Amino acid sequence: MFDSIPGYEGIAVGGGGAYLPPPMPSVLMPVPEQASSHPEWHSNIPSISEGRARAAFEDYVSSKCCYSSAPVRDGVITNMESFNTYRYRLETFTEYRSTKLCQEPYTGQRVDAGIQRAPGPWEIAAQPPSYFTEHKENIRVPFTSSIKKCDPCGGLGKKPCSSCTATGSKVCSECNGSRQRPDNESCNKCDYSGREKCSSCSGSGFHKCDTCDGKGQLLVYINLKVKWITERDDFVGQDSSGLRSEKLGKVSGKELFRDAQINVYPVLGFPDVSVAQASERLIRDHQVKYTKNSRILQQRQIIELITITRVKYTWKEMPYVYYVYGNELRVNADDYPATCCCSVM
């Protein structure tokens, strides 16, 4: 029957599940106009005071159980230099749809297959959550529900007990079928018959069919699974501070630019060419990757300025360095000079 439903051909019980390509958009997106200038892009590099740098360093060391506080207490800051880097983030809020043939015990549910044409997978209304909020929803496709006999039990609602081969009894465990106990007395456990009631099926010889829950019939229907996902990619510009870029993944920066619409366009006129190039590349990649098997509902692009302060200091006449970065003033000090052996974990 399901082979005759347009859009659902070839689906089998337990089959399907692959994401379905959405229909082509009926209206083309407009060509972007030249971006207006953004004076805030040319803001000066923010800096922090020596006191804030030292306080951040002190908090960092105190959070490490095996770090001595001596370098913080006795170290002398010799130089502080401010750097910055830009982080470009592209988020694409997508809707995926897949179908699967499902079945459940029939207990009188509505049967509507064949009453009228079943809507296609992308014709069914599904209310998305607020943008960039992940969510899943299962919808029974209208006009696809029908009744079928339960195959595992042949429509009986029960299956033969494998322990007693549907006889309801087994060889007596006390006399082993001889009707006499080892002491030559008659076996009263089996009432002198040599067989006892099967404990697995309580003597009925059958078990209730789990597939149809004993009803003998199944309701078969097509289920539509709708999933909303935010696909995200980041690009961090290069800087000359020496701090590894992966350290910036968990900090925030000063937001310079935010743009949200169904389809965003590459950033134009940004002072860092690598960020503008990343914007163009990632937007193109998202369009290619996420329009094949999903529908793009909204995109958002953000540019942040992340400040980095490189602090050079001496302790016991030896030079060291640490970094303070992000709005959270996180610290990275890979060469901290006063750790005990238990710090290697």
Side-chain angles (χ1 to χ4, degrees):
M1 182 199 71
F2 295 101
D3 287 335
S4 63
I5 300 179
Y8 303 96
E9 297 86 355
I11 192 169
V13 175
Y19 293 127
L20 304 169
M24 292 293 292
S26 57
V27 180
L28 296 177
M29 296 301 297
V31 177
E33 298 178 355
Q34 181 71 26
S36 58
S37 61
H38 292 267
E40 64 271 22
W41 285 352
H42 305 276
S43 59
N44 296 326
I45 300 176
S47 59
I48 62 173
S49 65
E50 181 176 323
R52 294 191 72 186
R54 187 179 292 277
F57 194 31
E58 183 178 358
D59 290 342
Y60 168 78
V61 171
S62 64
S63 69
K64 307 288 186 179
C65 64
C66 299
Y67 279 28
S68 167
S69 62
V72 179
R73 185 178 62 250
D74 304 327
V76 177
I77 293 178
T78 59
N79 179 263
M80 290 178 55
E81 190 173 2
S82 295
F83 301 83
N84 69 4
T85 187
Y86 298 104
R87 176 169 60 208
Y88 173 83
R89 172 172 292 161
L90 176 63
E91 297 174 318
T92 299
F93 186 58
T94 56
E95 178 180 309
Y96 292 86
R97 295 194 174 200
S98 61
T99 57
K100 184 177 181 179
L101 191 59
C102 298
Q103 60 185 28
E104 62 186 41
Y106 177 66
T107 57
Q109 301 94 313
R110 175 178 168 79
V111 177
D112 57 8
I115 295 178
Q116 65 183 68
R117 185 186 75 86
W122 287 95
E123 296 175 354
I124 299 172
Q127 181 62 43
S130 57
Y131 288 149
F132 307 105
T133 301
E134 300 200 354
H135 183 62
K136 295 178 182 178
E137 186 174 343
N138 287 289
I139 302 172
R140 184 173 299 184
V141 178
F143 310 113
T144 64
S145 297
S146 62
I147 301 174
K148 63 169 284 188
K149 181 175 69 174
C150 179
D151 290 332
C153 67
L156 298 176
K158 57 185 179 180
K159 294 190 291 186
C161 175
S162 58
S163 297
C164 65
T165 62
T167 62
S169 64
K170 298 189 294 184
V171 173
C172 178
S173 58
E174 183 75 21
C175 67
N176 199 27
S178 67
R179 305 181 185 181
Q180 286 187 324
R181 298 189 313 218
D183 59 4
N184 294 324
E185 292 290 331
S186 297
C187 181
N188 54 12
K189 182 177 183 181
C190 61
D191 199 21
Y192 320 121
S193 66
R195 299 183 67 83
E196 61 180 330
K197 183 169 70 173
C198 176
S199 59
S200 177
C201 63
S202 301
S204 68
F206 293 89
H207 289 287
K208 183 174 71 173
C209 177
D210 293 331
T211 303
C212 65
D213 194 32
K215 303 300 187 292
Q217 291 181 310
L218 296 170
L219 182 77
V220 186
Y221 60 92
I222 296 176
N223 181 74
L224 172 69
K225 181 179 181 180
V226 187
K227 183 164 64 171
W228 293 275
I229 301 176
T230 300
E231 309 287 1
R232 181 181 292 107
D233 275 301
D234 287 354
F235 169 80
V236 177
Q238 297 296 319
D239 75 273
S240 56
S241 68
L243 179 67
R244 300 194 304 274
S245 60
E246 61 265 23
K247 292 291 183 180
L248 304 177
K250 295 184 178 180
V251 297
S252 60
K254 177 185 177 182
E255 187 173 300
L256 303 181
F257 174 71
R258 175 183 289 257
D259 175 34
Q261 48 188 310
I262 295 177
N263 291 106
V264 297
Y265 299 107
V267 175
L268 301 177
F270 195 75
D272 188 325
V273 176
S274 68
V275 171
Q277 292 173 340
S279 169
E280 184 176 1
R281 174 175 54 83
L282 291 176
I283 289 173
R284 182 176 62 249
D285 290 350
H286 277 218
Q287 285 293 328
V288 172
K289 290 166 60 177
Y290 304 125
T291 56
K292 290 180 180 178
N293 295 321
S294 68
R295 180 163 57 189
I296 294 177
L297 301 182
Q298 186 82 178
Q299 287 188 306
R300 179 168 65 191
Q301 55 182 343
I302 301 169
I303 299 177
E304 293 175 291
L305 172 68
I306 303 177
T307 60
I308 303 170
T309 303
R310 183 170 64 193
V311 183
K312 295 181 179 179
Y313 69 102
T314 59
W315 182 63
K316 294 186 177 181
E317 301 182 354
M318 293 293 292
Y320 301 96
V321 64
Y322 67 89
Y323 297 90
V324 183
Y325 56 97
N327 291 341
E328 297 81 1
L329 297 181
R330 289 209 177 188
V331 171
N332 178 249
D334 289 337
D335 64 346
Y336 191 73
T339 63
C340 64
C341 60
C342 68
S343 64
V344 181
M345 300 177 66

